[in-house]
């Protein structure tokens, strides 16, 4: 089989070392049955975040994951951590294997401060829905101060 020459758009600007990295990256992405790094594939756990009037809603796609394999933790007033532990399946018989196994974590920066009071999480049909109440800002009316 004739080897096709690899085209490198970086040779002139960065030299042959960058071309080698570029070639290896393309080979890794094209190799059948190889796991691609989560960074290349995206965030790993895709989420939608909604800033509602009195709460923050986080929805994450977790296809094929059981509720016992998911942990949701509020690590700070504006930070939520979702951890998924996928069981390792047998390695024999795969022609291509792209689905990840092992542990994945996604740290979500929330748009407002929230509290764990009244927090709720549910996993249904591969979709995780987390609802968190916002921390109430101080209520009341400010009284202006006059001089003299």
């Amino acid at each position: 089989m004739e080897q096709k020459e690899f085209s490198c758009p970086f040779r002139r600007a960065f030299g042959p070392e960058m071309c080698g990295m570029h070639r290896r990256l393309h080979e890794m992405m094209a190799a059948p049955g190889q796991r691609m790094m989560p960074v290349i594939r995206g965030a790993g756990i895709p989420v939608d975040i909604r800033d509602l009037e009195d709460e923050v809603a986080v929805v994450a796609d977790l296809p094929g994951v059981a509720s016992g394999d998911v942990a949701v933790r509020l690590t700070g007033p504006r930070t939520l951590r979702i951890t998924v532990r996928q069981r390792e399946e047998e390695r024999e018989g795969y022609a291509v294997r792209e689905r990840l196994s092992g542990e994945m974590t996604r740290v979500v920066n929330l748009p407002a401060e929230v509290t764990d009071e009244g927090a709720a999480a549910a996993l249904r049909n591969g979709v995780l829905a987390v609802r968190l109440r916002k921390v109430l800002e101080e209520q009341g009316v400010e009284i202006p101060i006059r001089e003299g």
Side-chain angles (χ1 to χ4, degrees), residues 22-24 34 41 65 93 114 117-118 129 135 142 148:
H22 186 243
R23 180 185 47 75
R24 286 190 296 277
Q34 298 290 322
R41 293 187 58 196
V65 174
V114 297
E117 291 180 32
V135 174
E142 189 171 322

Side-chain angles (χ1 to χ4, degrees), residues 2-23:
E2 185 179 315
Q3 177 127 4
K4 188 171 114 179
E5 186 173 324
F6 184 76
S7 164
C8 179
F10 306 110
R11 184 174 304 281
R12 186 171 292 149
F14 298 107
E17 292 83 18
M18 181 61 85
C19 289
M21 287 176 33
H22 186 243
R23 180 185 47 75

Side-chain angles (χ1 to χ4, degrees), residues 15 21 32 56 63 90 120 123 133-134 144:
M21 287 176 33
V56 174
E90 96 179 38
L123 181 66
R133 277 198 222 153
K134 288 183 181 179

Side-chain angles (χ1 to χ4, degrees), residues 34-148:
Q34 298 290 322
R35 276 178 46 166
M36 295 170 67
M37 295 181 291
V39 172
I40 295 170
R41 293 187 58 196
I45 301 174
V47 297
D48 290 339
I49 305 166
R50 295 189 65 202
D51 188 355
L52 304 170
E53 195 169 312
D54 59 348
E55 66 181 8
V56 174
V58 178
V59 177
D61 288 339
L62 302 173
V65 174
S67 60
D69 296 333
V70 179
V72 179
R73 183 180 219 44
L74 188 60
T75 59
R78 284 183 165 246
T79 310
L80 182 75
R81 184 175 67 214
I82 302 169
T83 303
V84 178
R85 289 171 205 84
Q86 292 279 83
R87 293 187 187 96
E88 185 72 27
E89 295 178 8
E90 96 179 38
R91 294 190 175 273
E92 300 296 317
Y94 285 96
V96 175
R97 184 157 187 207
E98 294 181 349
R99 295 180 357 182
L100 297 176
S101 60
E103 187 171 298
M104 271 189 298
T105 299
R106 174 75 187 263
V107 176
V108 179
N109 294 319
L110 304 171
E113 288 191 8
V114 297
T115 180
D116 61 344
E117 291 180 32
L123 181 66
R124 185 173 305 138
N125 296 327
V127 178
L128 174 69
V130 181
R131 297 185 88 80
L132 302 158
R133 277 198 222 153
K134 288 183 181 179
V135 174
L136 295 177
E137 294 180 18
E138 289 185 30
Q139 300 284 328
V141 177
E142 189 171 322
I143 300 171
I145 299 172
R146 294 184 295 174
E147 283 193 35

